[in-house]
């Protein structure tokens, strides 16, 4: 930040400085209040949850955009020499301490315009998987299945792979993988997994959201991959646990053997 005393020495009156500080503080508070308010409304409206959360980063950028306009207004009325001095100080600040912040803000603008992911989406960014809970000016917050909040700099968008499991939709495909020994009745095992999926209370099936069971032959065992959608992406792990538990119970009751380490769960759209 530019020291206030330096601005005073450049001939910028204290009233202008106080006004700028007031605008910045007001913008920050308004951004936080609007964000909390929209998120609270979204959580009370399950069918429009993601749509409402999509508005949060847009609203914040609008607030900060208005604040920038109000701040730049008085500064643009400075003399040429004052503008050059302030520009030099800003350039030095960006070069020494704000380069990453500036890159994050550019990344945030790209997120708003291109929308590779939105608030409420389930994404994997640079190896971290979870739900996007906030898109700020500098970083995106992703909450992992272990309820850990991970702050991912927006600039990461330019250098890391980003995968989106639902792309703004409340429905999401969940892929469940179970393995059986090579001597097991794989057709019966496949039918058990399919039945467990379609009878789950979390499943969502229609013409646009089909389910499938795929058998893959490995060296010493066979993998059964069940693919189906959940109506609410927040039910992904409840659905996976439900299908896995009932499938394994049916395997045991019918004598279908499984390898010692055989269960994997992944998420895809």
């Amino acid at each position: 930040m530019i020291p206030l005393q330096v601005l005073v020495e450049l001939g910028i009156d204290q009233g202008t400085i106080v006004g700028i500080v007031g605008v910045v503080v007001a913008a920050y508070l308004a951004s936080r209040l609007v964000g909390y308010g929209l998120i609270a409304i979204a959580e009370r409206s399950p069918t429009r949850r993601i749509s409402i959360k999509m508005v949060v980063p847009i609203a914040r950028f609008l607030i900060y955009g208005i604040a920038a306009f109000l701040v730049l207004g008085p500064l643009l009325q400075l003399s040429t020499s004052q503008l050059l001095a302030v520009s030099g100080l800003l350039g030095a600040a960006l070069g020494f301490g704000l380069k990453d912040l500036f890159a994050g803000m550019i990344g945030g603008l790209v997120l708003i315009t291109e929308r590779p992911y939105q608030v409420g989406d389930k994404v994997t960014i640079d190896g971290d998987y979870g739900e996007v809970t906030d898109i700020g000016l500098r970083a995106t917050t992703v909450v992992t299945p272990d309820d850990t909040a991970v702050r991912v700099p927006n600039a990461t968008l330019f250098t890391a792979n980003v995968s989106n499991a639902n792309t703004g939709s409340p429905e999401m495909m969940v892929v469940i993988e179970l393995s059986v020994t090579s001597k097991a009745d794989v057709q019966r095992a496949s039918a058990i997994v399919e039945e467990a999926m379609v009878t789950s209370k979390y499943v969502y099936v229609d013409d646009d959201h089909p389910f499938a069971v795929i058998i893959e032959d490995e060296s010493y065992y066979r993998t059964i991959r069940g693919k189906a959608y959940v109506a609410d992406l927040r039910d992904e792990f409840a659905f996976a646990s439900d299908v896995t538990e009932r499938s394994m119970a049916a395997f045991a009751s019918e004598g279908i053997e499984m390898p010692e380490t055989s269960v994997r769960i992944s998420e895809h759209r």
Side-chain angles (χ1 to χ4, degrees), residues 67-241:
F69 175 80
L70 295 175
V71 168
L72 290 175
L75 293 180
L76 292 176
Q77 298 176 9
L78 301 176
S79 65
T80 303
S81 60
Q82 289 174 327
L83 278 175
L84 288 174
V86 172
S87 298
L89 289 171
L90 285 174
L94 287 173
F96 284 106
L98 300 180
K99 181 176 64 175
D100 292 339
L101 176 61
F102 186 70
M105 292 176 64
I106 296 299
L109 291 173
V110 173
L111 288 174
I112 294 297
T113 55
E114 296 190 2
R115 291 164 58 176
Y117 55 80
Q118 306 154 24
V119 174
D121 282 354
K122 291 293 185 77
V123 301
T124 301
I125 306 176
D126 201 21
D128 292 307
Y129 173 77
E131 179 178 350
V132 178
T133 58
D134 181 67
I135 299 176
L137 283 175
R138 189 189 67 84
T140 293
T141 302
V142 176
V143 177
T144 70
D146 296 328
D147 202 27
T148 299
V150 180
R151 295 273 291 174
V152 182
N154 291 334
T156 305
L157 180 68
F158 303 123
T159 58
N161 291 330
V162 177
S163 61
N164 193 325
N166 64 297
T167 318
S169 173
E171 302 90 17
M172 186 182 77
M173 175 177 283
V174 179
V175 180
I176 303 166
E177 297 185 2
L178 298 100
S179 297
V180 297
T181 62
S182 58
K183 296 180 180 180
D185 185 348
V186 70
Q187 297 300 327
R188 178 55 189 153
S190 175
I192 289 174
V193 173
E194 178 177 324
E195 182 180 1
M197 288 194 307
V198 299
T199 57
S200 175
K201 64 180 180 179
Y202 304 105
V203 75
Y204 181 70
V205 179
D206 62 13
D207 293 339
D208 296 324
H209 301 83
F211 65 90
V213 178
I214 302 171
I215 301 172
E216 297 178 350
D217 192 11
E218 307 292 346
S219 299
Y220 303 101
Y221 60 92
R222 292 175 179 175
T223 300
I224 302 172
R225 302 178 72 237
K227 303 167 61 177
Y229 287 84
V230 291
D232 188 332
L233 54 82
R234 290 174 292 182
D235 293 329
E236 59 171 316
F237 295 108
F239 172 71
S241 297

